[in-house]
Amino acid sequence: MVFRNNDMEGLWILRYRRQVASSACPESLQEIMTKLQALQMLTGDEVKCLQELPLPKRAETLMDTVGGKGRASLQAFQQCIENSRTHLYQRMRHYDPLVRKHLDKVEYDDHHPLLAQLDSVLMVEGLTDAQLQEHDVVQLELEQARLGRPKVLSLDKMLMPLSRVSLPPRITLTVGVAGAGKTTLVRLFVEKWTRGEFCTDIKSVLSLNLWELNIYDRLSAEKLVGIACPSTTTLPASSLLILDGLDELRAPLDFSDSVGSTDPQKELPPECLITNILRGNLLPDVNVWITSRPEAASKIPGGLVDRMTEISSLGSNEIRDILEHLIHDTSGTMERVWDHLQCHRALKALCSVPTLCHIIGLSLGFTLHAQDSSYQPLPDTLSAIFSWYLKAQFCDSEAVEQQTNARRMVGNLGKLAFQGVLRKRTVYYKSDLKSCGIETPISPGSLCSRLLVTQNSPSCVSFSFPHLLLQEFLAAVHYHSAAKRAIFDLFADGGVSWPKLGFLNHYKSATQRVLQADGVHLSVFLRFLSGLLSPQILRILAGCLPSKEESSNQRGVVIDHLQSLLSAGKTISSRMVNLVCCLYEMGHTELINTVNEALKSGTLRGRLNPLTCSALAYLLRVSGSCAQETNLNQCLNYGLVQNFLPQLQYCTNLR
């Protein structure tokens, strides 16, 4: 392949093809090949042949194939890399100064509404009780009742000294619920740093997704640096190591029983390696920025963290901007969706997370277009939202996948999701998928490709669901189906258990797990499982589930079981309120409506018992009117006030 000098002008890709080949990963190449095929620079047969080649050879052959078609094709290839947000773009921008200088003039748009809340973070003193003890959904509900606002720290100052006499933090921890944008924040920071927009005193930045370490039994600090940047074995002074996604590390950190080491060449289990880095035993001269969900972050002793930050939630204007991007407004569709969210405080709380806002927006938009929107109410439960989301993905995949195969895939994905819920895992690998009957590579456009996100790195490929709640919903779908024929406890995960027959016994087993001290992570799973007993939900999912589901007589029995647990409760705990949420998911609203009417009319006094108190606590959490102003002066005595104290934090004006 020979080009004249004037043909070469502006095509840096020809001079640096070695860097392209060494930096490439499957995700980057697949994205580029898809774009080139859409531009008719590659044929379908050429893409198929390239996909069959091993990774280094695939990159070289792709460049040869495109180069043989002339300058226009090479220019398109180069623009795909310049405009890409993939691993290839980041590695070439970050680690190769020869290529970096050619990309300095590339313009990019960082004003998307999903990135609006990532211009800054909140500086916090530590984790709250809710972050330590509650599910992500409850944390979001409590966020709405937060009084005051922590100090806002702009992204360019997050790792800098706060005054002229203070030192920059060595360990910075950023927390956020699932889907809040932690990984997006890291990518945005790295990209702006490579452009020299801030933190110019940092000489080197190594960003590592911690899910990449799960494939190693043991590794050293030198090898960890090599994983983050293969061309580097030692870090210069003024370096930053970003450890993204502590909650995705399979083994939790244990600072009380971790082997200490100061030898950078000594191999340790990944969790021990991370604890030694945070303690300063390894890489002591390197600053560390770690991101995590609150539960995993709580394993780090507070004395080791120099600065703690939290990703701020989306505001009302940002939520509306995102929804307007998702929903094509026809005949007031957008206004109806917005009014619906304003009336359902819990759903709007979920929309403060970008990923959940996207899912809820798609579900509501699909609902309005899939049914007669003039007469049908919009979904107002978590089960209905995610049922419509699954329905939407199912319909979109019908063009490339037979319905029978898609329904079978729902069953396989449900099994994978349930295993993840049991083991507290959100990241999976090819072996995990294979054990559940899911073949890799995943076909583009298939239902599996819509419900699983593929992440590539030079060392491995991982898969995850778009959000934790979707994983819990699919896990409940699997449990709902499997419980009808299982003879042993499904939570035993292959271990020995007493025989359990019938759906009701398995439902009671799930309920008992949630009520245990370590069962918080199963609370929303139980809501979804309860919602699947609603005839309305089964109608939405008709034709999507692996087996034909029919309404049974179990719903009434389950309602009686939940109400008996609520009546026997001695305290108004978050777990009791979660059982009321389960009743609501099933469509049983009699208890809630009765308490709500009595509260409005002032006749609640004398009718409060453990059952109605739990319903009142539920209303304080989800009702906008109750949260804004609640008059409990006439119905609570001193003892009940003590029981209600944890729930009163949802109220902004209490009498």
Side-chain angles (χ1 to χ4, degrees):
M1 182 170 57
V2 179
F3 288 86
R4 297 189 302 273
N5 288 338
N6 58 338
D7 289 336
M8 290 274 290
E9 186 177 356
L11 291 176
W12 56 262
I13 193 171
L14 295 178
R15 296 181 58 191
Y16 304 119
R17 58 178 290 153
R18 178 183 60 81
Q19 286 87 348
V20 176
S22 63
S23 301
C25 69
E27 180 190 33
S28 307
L29 293 179
Q30 183 60 47
E31 179 181 340
I32 290 170
M33 289 189 293
T34 301
K35 290 181 178 179
L36 291 175
Q37 187 177 4
L39 294 171
Q40 298 183 343
M41 301 293 182
L42 285 177
T43 66
D45 291 338
E46 287 172 334
V47 171
K48 185 176 180 181
C49 292
L50 288 167
Q51 290 173 336
E52 295 174 352
L53 297 174
L55 184 58
K57 184 68 175 176
R58 189 186 315 167
E60 295 174 0
T61 306
L62 173 60
M63 286 186 283
D64 290 339
T65 302
V66 174
K69 297 185 178 184
R71 178 185 174 85
S73 297
L74 277 173
Q75 189 73 44
F77 188 12
Q78 180 170 298
Q79 288 175 352
C80 286
I81 296 177
E82 290 175 343
N83 298 325
S84 172
R85 298 285 181 132
T86 61
H87 187 78
L88 174 61
Y89 172 78
Q90 291 291 348
R91 287 178 61 81
M92 293 181 66
R93 287 274 309 149
H94 186 180
Y95 300 122
D96 202 314
L98 295 175
V99 177
R100 177 178 172 180
K101 66 180 182 180
H102 290 273
L103 301 179
D104 285 338
K105 296 181 181 180
V106 177
E107 298 295 331
Y108 69 102
D109 178 20
D110 60 354
H111 299 293
H112 191 279
L114 284 176
L115 299 178
Q117 93 282 15
L118 297 180
D119 290 336
S120 60
V121 292
L122 304 178
M123 189 170 176
V124 295
E125 296 297 326
L127 297 174
T128 64
D129 290 342
Q131 289 174 320
L132 293 171
Q133 301 169 8
E134 303 290 358
H135 191 282
D136 288 20
V137 169
V138 179
Q139 294 177 37
L140 292 172
E141 292 168 346
L142 269 174
E143 177 72 19
Q144 294 190 124
R146 174 185 280 181
L147 298 177
R149 187 171 178 83
K151 179 180 179 180
V152 177
L153 208 59
S154 60
L155 189 58
D156 60 315
K157 297 179 180 178
M158 184 179 65
L159 303 178
M160 304 299 291
L162 296 180
S163 67
R164 293 181 180 180
V165 296
S166 60
L167 296 174
R170 179 182 178 267
I171 304 294
T172 301
L173 173 62
T174 298
V175 297
V177 297
K182 298 180 291 295
T183 298
T184 305
L185 178 69
V186 168
R187 291 174 179 171
L188 186 65
F189 178 92
V190 172
E191 184 165 337
K192 289 194 172 186
W193 173 81
T194 59
R195 292 180 176 275
E197 295 183 18
F198 51 59
C199 297
T200 54
D201 57 326
I202 297 178
K203 304 304 180 186
S204 176
V205 173
L206 269 68
S207 179
L208 180 68
N209 297 307
L210 287 178
W211 56 259
E212 296 182 51
L213 303 187
N214 291 330
I215 63 172
Y216 298 99
D217 293 326
R218 305 175 72 86
L219 74 163
S220 64
E222 286 188 355
K223 189 171 183 178
L224 180 138
V225 173
I227 294 171
C229 181
S231 60
T232 302
T233 55
T234 57
L235 291 175
S238 301
S239 295
L240 173 66
L241 175 63
I242 304 176
L243 302 175
D244 184 26
L246 178 62
D247 51 287
E248 295 175 346
L249 194 66
R250 287 196 167 177
L253 301 186
D254 186 357
F255 282 82
S256 63
D257 191 28
S258 178
V259 177
S261 174
T262 57
D263 183 359
Q265 296 181 335
K266 182 177 180 180
E267 293 194 342
L268 300 168
E271 65 277 11
C272 290
L273 182 65
I274 299 302
T275 57
N276 278 282
I277 291 175
L278 296 179
R279 278 175 170 160
N281 296 336
L282 295 171
L283 308 179
D285 299 324
V286 175
N287 292 333
V288 180
W289 176 23
I290 189 164
T291 70
S292 176
R293 287 173 59 206
E295 182 183 6
S298 66
K299 307 297 182 184
I300 304 175
L304 294 180
V305 178
D306 300 306
R307 183 173 298 170
M308 181 176 290
T309 61
E310 183 178 341
I311 294 183
S312 58
S313 302
L314 293 172
S316 294
N317 293 335
E318 293 164 334
I319 293 173
R320 190 172 182 116
D321 287 343
I322 293 174
L323 293 176
E324 288 176 348
H325 276 76
L326 293 173
I327 300 173
H328 301 291
D329 199 356
T330 56
S331 304
T333 300
M334 179 58 207
E335 286 304 318
R336 186 178 174 191
V337 167
W338 186 249
D339 291 342
H340 180 72
L341 292 177
Q342 294 290 81
C343 295
H344 293 84
R345 189 167 180 255
L347 287 184
K348 190 178 179 185
L350 297 183
C351 284
S352 65
V353 171
T355 307
L356 286 176
C357 188
H358 185 82
I359 290 175
I360 292 172
L362 285 177
S363 297
L364 295 177
F366 181 80
T367 304
L368 289 172
H369 290 93
Q371 60 184 4
D372 188 346
S373 59
S374 301
Y375 302 99
Q376 296 294 334
L378 287 173
D380 58 355
T381 66
L382 280 178
S383 301
I385 288 289
F386 280 87
S387 295
W388 279 113
Y389 181 77
L390 178 60
K391 186 84 169 182
Q393 305 308 314
F394 199 93
C395 293
D396 288 343
S397 68
E398 285 182 343
V400 296
E401 191 172 19
Q402 293 182 353
Q403 187 182 42
T404 304
N405 293 337
R407 291 173 62 180
R408 187 183 304 114
M409 184 54 64
V410 171
N412 294 340
L413 289 170
K415 182 179 180 182
L416 179 71
F418 183 65
Q419 290 181 358
V421 168
L422 279 184
R423 302 166 189 174
K424 296 185 179 181
R425 293 177 181 175
T426 56
V427 178
Y428 308 94
Y429 302 87
K430 289 183 178 180
S431 58
D432 301 315
L433 269 63
K434 186 176 181 180
S435 68
C436 295
I438 303 172
E439 297 296 330
T440 54
I442 298 173
S443 302
S446 65
L447 180 66
C448 190
S449 70
R450 296 176 181 277
L451 297 179
L452 276 183
V453 178
T454 304
Q455 301 179 91
N456 290 274
S457 75
S459 56
C460 61
V461 180
S462 74
F463 307 88
S464 60
F465 293 96
H467 193 270
L468 172 66
L469 290 189
L470 180 60
Q471 172 177 311
E472 293 175 330
F473 173 72
L474 291 173
V477 169
H478 168 77
Y479 192 92
H480 178 258
S481 177
K484 296 177 181 179
R485 59 181 183 274
I487 59 175
F488 292 103
D489 189 357
L490 293 169
F491 284 97
D493 197 17
V496 179
S497 72
W498 290 102
K500 288 185 182 294
L501 296 174
F503 176 83
L504 182 60
N505 283 324
H506 286 284
Y507 184 90
K508 289 181 177 179
S509 175
T511 305
Q512 290 303 317
R513 297 269 179 173
V514 173
L515 295 178
Q516 291 173 2
D518 60 347
V520 172
H521 69 289
L522 297 171
S523 56
V524 176
F525 163 81
L526 185 65
R527 294 192 202 180
F528 284 131
L529 181 61
S530 304
L532 290 169
L533 295 174
S534 167
Q536 177 193 7
I537 300 301
L538 293 181
R539 282 196 298 270
I540 297 172
L541 294 174
C544 298
L545 300 180
S547 58
K548 187 176 180 181
E549 298 288 349
E550 298 179 353
S551 299
S552 65
N553 58 357
Q554 300 289 353
R555 179 174 176 271
V557 181
V558 168
I559 290 173
D560 292 340
H561 172 63
L562 292 177
Q563 290 187 337
S564 67
L565 291 175
L566 290 168
S567 298
K570 296 181 179 179
T571 59
I572 314 302
S573 66
S574 183
R575 291 175 175 82
M576 291 294 107
V577 178
N578 190 65
L579 297 184
V580 181
C581 294
C582 292
L583 291 173
Y584 185 74
E585 292 287 332
M586 279 190 284
H588 180 77
T589 59
E590 287 84 348
L591 172 64
I592 299 169
N593 292 338
T594 299
V595 174
N596 193 28
E597 290 299 322
L599 182 62
K600 291 179 180 178
S601 62
T603 60
L604 194 57
R605 185 177 183 86
R607 302 174 61 179
L608 287 177
N609 53 47
L611 181 62
T612 54
C613 280
S614 296
L616 176 58
Y618 168 82
L619 288 171
L620 295 177
R621 179 182 295 187
V622 304
S623 171
S625 58
C626 284
Q628 291 170 11
E629 182 171 356
T630 304
N631 185 6
L632 301 178
N633 196 34
Q634 302 298 323
C635 58
L636 291 184
N637 56 37
Y638 180 74
L640 286 174
V641 168
Q642 285 187 311
N643 285 338
F644 264 98
L645 280 178
Q647 308 305 322
L648 296 183
Q649 58 190 323
Y650 292 93
C651 299
T652 55
N653 189 1
L654 182 68
R655 290 188 288 126

